[in-house]
Amino acid sequence: MCGIVGYVGSKDSIPVLLRGLKRLEYRGYDSAGVAVLHENNLHFIKKAGKVSSLQSFIDDTTIKGNLGIAHTRWATHGEPNDINAHPHIDHTEKIALVHNGIIENYDSIKQALIKRGVPFTSNTDSEVLVQLISELYYNNNEKISFEDAVRAALQEVIGAYGIVVICKDEPNKLIAARMGSPLVLGIGEGEFLIASDASPIIEYTRNVIYLDDNELVTIDDGHYSISKIDSKNIVNKTLTKIDLTIEEIEKGEFPHFMLKEIHDQQHSISDTMRGRFNLEDGTTQLGGISDYFSNILSASRIYITACGTSWHAGLIGKHLIEEYARVPVHVEYASEFRYRNVIIDSDTILIAISQSGETADTLAAIRKTKKLGAITLGICNVVGSTISRETHAGIFTHTGPEIGVASTKAFTAQLTILIMLALKLGRKKNVSKNRGKKLIRALRDIDQDVVSILKNSDEVKKVAKNTWKANNFLYLGRGVNFPIALEGALKLKEISYIHAEGYPAAEMKHGPIALIDENMPVVFIAPQDDSFSKVLANIEEVKARNGIIITITDKKNNLLESLSDYILTIPNTHKHVFPITCSIILQMLAYELAICRGCEIDQPRNLAKSVTVE
Ligand code: F6R
């Protein structure tokens, strides 16, 4: 949510910053800007629209400089326009700042500054910070350093921030600070980068330091130092080597990251499982949680918390853990959990699921649980992310960077981890070796199942071509496939802007059936398992009301064919692996519908990946 990048070194910063912004654009894309220091002057350009539009403005100028900052925005306060775009510049036009986060007490600070005669130009909360720093630096009875002015300003604000700030009067200095919004420092040969994540950094260096909350880094004349924002105490941090390739963060021959990531599932699920099976014993190995495994086994209850798609994974996790391990599991939206009087004691385990590892609500839920004395585990994709560092232990999904805003391969990897966790717990309880082996064998065959699903793309396109004009879709599934119905509907809403709802199939009669007519496509998730006959009855009910029936199944039969307008068949597999494969065909359907509607697949309106504000 908002991407920030800063550079200081021997290169011209402009190309580095623009490339960095393009890599960070998945975090927000309503406006973008850069500011650089060059020959004692502060130059800046900021524009509504995408980074490509900023780039074309910059191409018409001679702006350059070895030290600069840049930002791509996802608006919270103030509409997306040139003025509200970052960097924000103080009224003396000497200081520039980029900010990711929300300053909650911005209005009271703004009013106080206005009383002191400080003029404001934007409607953002972020401008308050730069004006406050300026006031503390330039209009102060005692002379303080720029760094101390930044520190002092940050101690007045309440809220979340990742900032990078530069000043014309201290032209070799780049200062960054973090409270709640991620920042990574890249340390190269005679150059430094600071960014919201590592993607803008890896072209220049693999040596990074992840900043923690309440930390401020000052880069000055080729040196950096990290200290606490409030106490000024120096913090010694360890350098991390990042293991990420450029290919992984580019879309290659695919037209969209989402399509690339859908296709990545031919190997990303296996990547997630690699080295974690023990077929012989019908169980799994999850080294990341071994220190806490006995606590999980003896837990009186497990909470799973997450947001969005990761929350849907959590719902399936509940189903699986309760089925195999027989421990009660409660699944909560992190945004609700964090403010609820939840029942947590030392026998409670919290599992937080997050692709990015930076989602603000999920992080807050973890911090709350830790305070209450319970063990927290993370299921994360991004190594080095805040959630992966703040949980007691965790399991990485190893699915590679997910850049398309709509989550695809991270979701199937989360489901894979949850199956492996449930099985491991179950095997320590009453699940037989044979039952474990059956599940593992099905997982082991998943690559070929995915290949065969991807071959259905013509069928999926046909469904999309005939249904894309619909204003509403209904997705129905039962049991472990009900959350897949929710996820299918979410994917569709996000990228095609078609209103869609997911329901347990049997719930349809309790309300949504009123919506069904000849214009309503209904996607049925209908594997031939023990719930098949029940789902079939629901299909009949929709047919009787002339709904358009799209059935996803693992085995066609005559009755299904006569009832369905379209059937998408995917390979038969274990009933607990089916949600993974089924979600892939639903991702393909959402993608093709969005293509038919001419939507911006990787940058859907109003959305941003990685929601780092509340
Ligand atoms: C949907 C989607 C979002 C995320 C949610 C949580 O396609 O991507 O709903 O799942 O914002 O994000 P993470 O998993 O990064 O915590």
Side-chain angles (χ1 to χ4, degrees):
M1 193 140 273
C2 298
I4 61 186
V5 53
Y7 174 84
V8 53
S10 53
K11 298 186 177 79
D12 176 16
S13 63
I14 291 287
V16 181
L17 294 173
L18 284 173
R19 286 165 80 88
L21 285 188
K22 283 197 183 132
R23 299 230 187 275
L24 291 174
E25 212 169 7
Y26 71 89
R27 302 177 71 91
Y29 32 79
D30 59 44
S31 53
V34 296
V36 292
L37 291 174
H38 184 55
E39 294 177 346
N40 287 331
N41 279 311
L42 176 67
H43 304 277
F44 61 93
I45 299 184
K46 43 191 210 152
K47 291 283 164 203
K50 305 222 160 129
V51 176
S52 52
S53 124
L54 173 73
Q55 166 118 45
S56 52
F57 280 101
I58 291 181
D59 288 346
D60 292 337
T61 69
T62 54
I63 182 171
K64 62 175 183 175
N66 302 119
L67 186 152
I69 57 177
H71 188 273
T72 176
R73 180 168 185 245
W74 183 87
T76 57
H77 296 57
E79 66 174 277
N81 59 27
D82 292 0
I83 291 173
N84 290 336
H86 297 221
H88 286 286
I89 313 295
D90 76 313
H91 65 287
T92 69
E93 300 216 341
K94 290 178 181 171
I95 301 175
L97 170 139
V98 288
H99 169 225
N100 170 24
I102 291 180
I103 305 300
E104 288 168 15
N105 60 339
Y106 83 97
D107 195 47
S108 58
I109 299 176
K110 185 170 178 174
Q111 297 316 322
L113 288 170
I114 288 172
K115 270 198 191 132
R116 286 171 65 111
V118 176
F120 276 76
T121 53
S122 79
N123 306 115
T124 67
D125 55 333
S126 311
E127 189 187 355
V128 153
L129 253 178
V130 75
Q131 303 290 14
L132 182 59
I133 294 169
S134 170
E135 195 65 2
L136 289 163
Y137 187 46
Y138 289 114
N139 200 7
N140 202 328
N141 292 336
E142 55 181 292
K143 180 79 194 132
I144 59 171
S145 69
F146 180 53
E147 182 184 306
D148 281 344
V150 174
R151 243 179 239 291
L154 292 178
Q155 285 174 81
E156 283 193 38
V157 300
I158 299 169
Y161 54 80
I163 59 156
V164 192
V165 55
I166 55 177
C167 174
K168 179 182 152 172
D169 289 327
E170 301 208 20
N172 301 320
K173 225 174 246 180
L174 194 136
I175 297 176
R178 167 188 169 145
M179 184 67 86
S181 301
L183 280 180
V184 189
L185 171 68
I187 300 161
E189 289 286 323
E191 60 186 0
F192 296 89
L193 289 103
I194 183 106
S196 303
D197 71 34
S199 60
I201 297 177
I202 56 166
E203 271 176 77
Y204 308 96
T205 178
R206 305 214 154 247
N207 296 328
V208 301
I209 288 176
Y210 293 98
L211 290 197
D212 285 305
D213 280 355
N214 191 25
E215 287 179 356
L216 176 145
V217 55
T218 302
I219 303 164
D220 191 6
D221 264 339
H223 300 283
Y224 73 92
S225 76
I226 301 175
S227 55
K228 291 280 178 204
I229 295 172
D230 50 6
S231 66
K232 283 187 165 187
N233 288 343
I234 295 292
V235 194
N236 292 314
K237 308 269 298 183
T238 37
L239 214 67
T240 305
K241 277 232 177 291
I242 28 177
D243 176 25
L244 188 68
T245 63
I246 303 275
E247 294 71 55
E248 282 179 295
I249 55 173
E250 291 189 338
K251 57 179 185 251
E253 75 229 31
F254 288 95
H256 300 104
F257 276 108
M258 182 179 179
L259 191 61
K260 173 184 181 244
E261 287 158 7
I262 290 174
H263 280 252
D264 279 353
Q265 292 170 112
Q266 291 170 83
H267 57 80
S268 60
I269 301 166
S270 310
D271 292 345
T272 297
M273 296 186 290
R274 185 154 302 118
R276 288 169 162 168
F277 280 142
N278 181 344
L279 180 59
E280 190 83 331
D281 205 23
T283 188
T284 61
Q285 280 141 215
L286 298 167
I289 53 163
S290 52
D291 288 352
Y292 295 94
F293 192 67
S294 56
N295 304 74
I296 311 172
L297 263 183
S298 60
S300 57
R301 76 173 78 80
I302 295 177
Y303 275 106
I304 298 183
T305 195
C307 303
T309 288
S310 297
W311 182 78
H312 295 155
L315 293 176
I316 295 177
K318 169 185 167 72
H319 200 100
L320 297 169
I321 295 172
E322 290 188 344
E323 163 95 22
Y324 288 90
R326 311 300 298 149
V327 184
V329 181
H330 310 273
V331 186
E332 301 244 358
Y333 284 116
S335 53
E336 294 294 322
F337 181 96
R338 65 182 290 188
Y339 293 115
R340 217 165 66 72
N341 193 4
V342 281
I343 300 170
I344 290 178
D345 57 26
S346 54
D347 288 334
T348 305
I349 300 280
L350 177 87
I351 302 177
I353 307 177
S354 174
Q355 185 285 129
S356 61
E358 300 294 350
T359 301
D361 286 323
T362 311
L363 187 56
I366 292 165
R367 289 178 177 160
K368 167 178 176 155
T369 307
K370 280 170 87 176
K371 267 199 194 137
L372 292 169
I375 291 166
T376 59
L377 307 173
I379 297 177
C380 286
N381 193 37
V382 180
V383 177
S385 59
T386 311
I387 290 178
S388 71
R389 288 181 293 131
E390 290 206 12
T391 40
H392 291 93
I395 311 167
F396 284 111
T397 43
H398 295 316
T399 188
E402 188 181 71
I403 293 168
V405 167
S407 186
T408 52
K409 64 176 181 174
F411 177 66
T412 51
Q414 290 164 350
L415 297 186
T416 308
I417 296 288
L418 288 161
I419 293 182
M420 289 196 291
L421 175 62
L423 177 59
K424 186 170 171 60
L425 291 167
R427 284 287 292 120
K428 286 281 173 201
K429 295 195 167 175
N430 290 327
V431 172
S432 71
K433 191 194 284 189
N434 264 348
R435 199 172 163 207
K437 280 184 169 182
K438 265 194 198 151
L439 183 53
I440 292 180
R441 284 204 189 95
L443 282 168
R444 219 184 36 186
D445 290 342
I446 206 158
D447 283 1
Q448 64 210 53
D449 293 346
V450 179
V451 170
S452 117
I453 291 167
L454 293 171
K455 283 193 186 135
N456 273 334
S457 73
D458 284 345
E459 288 293 299
V460 176
K461 278 182 189 150
K462 191 171 127 200
V463 179
K465 279 206 179 96
N466 291 322
T467 54
W468 66 271
K469 289 189 182 148
N471 292 324
N472 302 286
F473 265 66
L474 197 57
Y475 286 70
L476 301 175
R478 288 185 86 114
V480 74
N481 291 309
F482 156 55
I484 295 299
L486 292 175
E487 175 59 10
L490 178 65
K491 278 304 77 98
L492 186 65
K493 278 185 267 213
E494 281 182 295
I495 59 166
S496 73
Y497 318 136
I498 297 174
H499 170 250
E501 303 250 13
Y503 262 91
E507 273 294 302
M508 178 184 66
K509 286 198 281 292
H510 300 280
I513 200 164
L515 299 169
I516 296 186
D517 63 14
E518 66 283 5
N519 299 315
M520 172 71 102
V522 184
V523 179
F524 277 98
I525 301 171
Q528 298 246 7
D529 60 14
D530 35 19
S531 67
F532 182 72
S533 57
K534 309 274 179 204
V535 177
L536 203 59
N538 300 133
I539 295 178
E540 297 268 15
E541 286 153 8
V542 172
K543 185 76 182 172
R545 287 156 185 87
N546 295 326
I548 303 162
I549 295 167
I550 303 166
T551 305
I552 319 269
T553 186
D554 51 0
K555 200 162 157 227
K556 285 186 193 175
N557 68 21
N558 290 344
L559 185 54
L560 256 192
E561 287 196 83
S562 67
L563 290 173
S564 307
D565 295 274
Y566 308 96
I567 299 195
L568 298 171
T569 312
I570 62 174
N572 176 259
T573 181
H574 192 288
K575 68 172 177 182
H576 292 144
V577 177
F578 184 87
I580 301 185
T581 48
C582 181
S583 66
I584 297 176
I585 197 121
L586 295 181
Q587 294 162 2
M588 291 163 67
L589 181 60
Y591 177 85
E592 295 301 343
L593 282 161
I595 290 283
C596 290
R597 292 167 71 98
C599 298
E600 288 241 29
I601 308 273
D602 283 334
Q603 294 174 342
R605 74 178 175 218
N606 303 338
L607 289 176
K609 205 162 181 76
S610 190
V611 182
T612 54
V613 294
E614 215 187 315

